[in-house]
Amino acid sequence: MDPIEFFFNFYLGRELGVCGELLYNGFNSLENNSPIIRDEDYLTYANESYAFSFLINTSVAFERLEKIILLFLINQESPDKIASFLNIKMKSNFSDDDVFKNNIFEYVDDMSAFPKPEFNRLMDHHNLNIVAYINQLKSKTIELNTDEKHLLNILDTFYDSFRYGRFHPKDFSARGYAHDTELLNDLLTHWEQNGEPVSSDKEHNLYVLGRCINKLAKKYYDIIKKFAEKMNIFTYELHDDSNAQTVFLNINDSLHDIFVQKRITREELLYNLAYNQIKELASDEIPDKLPIEFDIIEDFLLYGDDNYFSDSVNETLDIALAEDDDDYEPYSNKEKIITREKLIHGLLLMFSKTKK
């Protein structure tokens, strides 16, 4: 593996994982906090740090993904520029042994940098600028739909104008200190259902926002994977059971589905532990508890979350529902899961009230 391949495989491979973690953490900021509904057109969060965390993490993640794609594209079109960027050049003389060991590059101190347009985009923080330049180098490398353009435009507006807005305010109105929550509101109320805006339904808004982010993240990941495969390297490989793997290899439609599964994990665990007491209290028949694998629960208990344990609980739930219903289709029939979880949620609340 020569230095260029090493750079794309290991350095940018780790960068890809960082991007996935940023996307996960950004969306997690919205999922695990309650919104404040101010009026029929406004849905946002009382604590502005949630909006800021989502916007900064998501903006930086997509920017860095775009720069990975840009570097791959530059290398494909002009590998000498990447060699220049890495301060290496082909040796003027090398032996057969050097070729065998991939020792055909040498490091140098005085190499030219990227041309100004490429340098500017690599230093740019505007997603749409970077995407436009990528498509200028190679047409239709990244094709964005209307919702994806809207998302990136909101992220660019935040990063350009409001990242440090509270340090240097230009607006002293009642909402002047909360432009990040205004931008988040724009995203959360952007989506429509049956032609009508849905602004008060947190679940729906997070689902459609998560669907847009999920689709764009997978689009970028697939582009990076294709570039890597052409170089016969493995930039696209992700740490097992990492949040990045959960994001980029998400089999569901939306990032929101990931966090619904996390919620199911928590409630199924609590239900399992309190099952006998709930059964004594309940007047009607209640759902059976899941056979949870407690021997893999340690990381979940230590860190409050564990993708391996969460996957195990949700797969067990799929199997249990499939056994109860011959027509059940695992991973696609969400209605039965939602019905069960609403019932379990209510039973847990009933149980909690008896302990006051």
Side-chain angles (χ1 to χ4, degrees):
M1 183 176 288
D2 66 44
I4 291 178
E5 293 169 337
F6 190 90
F7 168 71
F8 278 94
N9 190 73
F10 292 105
Y11 282 80
L12 296 191
R14 280 157 176 76
E15 189 62 38
L16 179 65
V18 169
C19 294
E21 294 288 337
L22 288 171
L23 289 172
Y24 181 94
N25 291 333
F27 211 77
N28 184 47
S29 300
L30 305 185
E31 286 283 352
N32 291 315
N33 296 290
S34 298
I36 297 297
I37 303 172
R38 298 184 182 277
D39 57 50
E40 62 180 11
D41 296 323
Y42 204 85
L43 173 67
T44 192
Y45 293 76
N47 188 332
E48 61 281 341
S49 63
Y50 306 146
F52 185 91
S53 177
F54 165 75
L55 291 166
I56 193 73
N57 279 291
T58 308
S59 177
V60 171
F62 281 126
E63 173 199 328
R64 296 170 90 90
L65 286 169
E66 289 149 8
K67 288 176 179 177
I68 294 173
I69 294 171
L70 178 54
L71 286 169
F72 265 114
L73 187 56
I74 292 172
N75 183 63
Q76 179 177 283
E77 302 297 322
S78 306
D80 57 307
K81 293 179 181 177
I82 297 296
S84 175
F85 172 61
L86 297 176
N87 288 331
I88 57 176
K89 70 175 183 179
M90 185 80 75
K91 289 181 178 179
S92 56
N93 295 298
F94 49 86
S95 65
D96 291 341
D97 188 53
D98 286 327
V99 174
F100 178 75
K101 295 179 180 179
N102 278 322
N103 187 27
I104 57 178
F105 289 87
E106 61 182 346
Y107 288 89
V108 294
D109 294 326
D110 186 21
M111 297 292 288
S112 61
F114 287 116
K116 189 173 182 179
E118 292 171 1
F119 177 81
N120 287 343
R121 294 294 76 79
L122 287 168
M123 298 299 292
D124 203 337
H125 299 301
H126 295 78
N127 289 278
L128 290 174
N129 286 351
I130 303 170
V131 171
Y133 188 72
I134 288 170
N135 288 332
Q136 180 181 327
L137 291 179
K138 186 176 181 182
S139 177
K140 297 183 179 180
T141 299
I142 300 176
E143 295 185 276
L144 302 175
N145 62 34
T146 302
D147 286 337
E148 290 164 349
K149 289 178 182 177
H150 180 74
L151 170 66
L152 294 183
N153 183 57
I154 291 291
L155 297 176
D156 287 350
T157 300
F158 162 76
Y159 206 85
D160 185 48
S161 302
F162 305 129
R163 195 169 29 131
Y164 293 106
R166 280 183 285 271
F167 286 96
H168 187 219
K170 298 178 182 179
D171 178 5
F172 286 94
S173 67
R175 302 286 314 157
Y177 53 82
H179 286 301
D180 38 14
T181 58
E182 294 281 357
L183 288 173
L184 177 57
N185 174 66
D186 188 311
L187 280 176
L188 290 173
T189 58
H190 168 73
W191 323 102
E192 294 186 355
Q193 186 178 39
N194 299 324
E196 295 295 328
V198 180
S199 61
S200 60
D201 185 344
K202 178 183 177 182
E203 290 286 315
H204 170 76
N205 281 274
L206 289 179
Y207 174 80
V208 290
L209 174 58
R211 183 176 59 194
C212 180
I213 295 172
N214 190 62
K215 184 176 181 180
L216 187 57
K218 285 185 175 181
K219 184 180 295 185
Y220 284 0
Y221 177 81
D222 289 342
I223 293 170
I224 291 168
K225 185 176 181 181
K226 288 177 182 177
F227 274 124
E229 288 174 339
K230 286 182 180 179
M231 293 179 65
N232 198 29
I233 56 176
F234 303 95
T235 310
Y236 53 87
E237 288 196 346
L238 303 160
H239 292 297
D240 285 343
D241 297 313
S242 65
N243 293 331
Q245 187 183 66
T246 300
V247 168
F248 289 124
L249 303 185
N250 182 20
I251 63 173
N252 298 295
D253 294 330
S254 172
L255 290 188
H256 178 58
D257 292 317
I258 294 171
F259 294 94
V260 169
Q261 290 180 344
K262 302 285 186 180
R263 187 170 68 210
I264 288 172
T265 299
R266 295 191 296 267
E267 295 201 339
E268 288 287 354
L269 175 60
L270 290 173
Y271 184 66
N272 184 289
L273 296 173
Y275 178 78
N276 290 335
Q277 292 171 282
I278 291 175
K279 192 172 183 179
E280 291 178 1
L281 294 169
S283 56
D284 299 321
E285 185 177 351
I286 64 173
D288 292 335
K289 64 180 180 179
L290 292 181
I292 289 176
E293 296 182 81
F294 282 95
D295 57 330
I296 60 171
I297 200 175
E298 183 176 3
D299 284 349
F300 181 84
L301 296 177
L302 285 173
Y303 309 118
D305 190 13
D306 179 59
N307 291 320
Y308 184 59
F309 180 71
S310 182
D311 288 344
S312 171
V313 171
N314 282 274
E315 287 170 8
T316 301
L317 175 59
D318 275 317
I319 293 170
L321 292 178
E323 290 175 349
D324 292 339
D325 186 350
D326 293 336
D327 297 326
Y328 180 75
E329 297 179 8
Y331 303 108
S332 62
N333 195 339
K334 294 182 180 180
E335 291 185 6
K336 291 184 176 65
I337 293 177
I338 292 172
T339 300
R340 173 185 169 90
E341 294 314 313
K342 283 183 177 179
L343 179 55
I344 287 177
H345 183 80
L347 290 169
L348 287 170
L349 289 178
M350 176 198 70
F351 175 68
S352 69
K353 291 175 182 177
T354 66
K355 298 301 176 181
K356 290 183 179 179

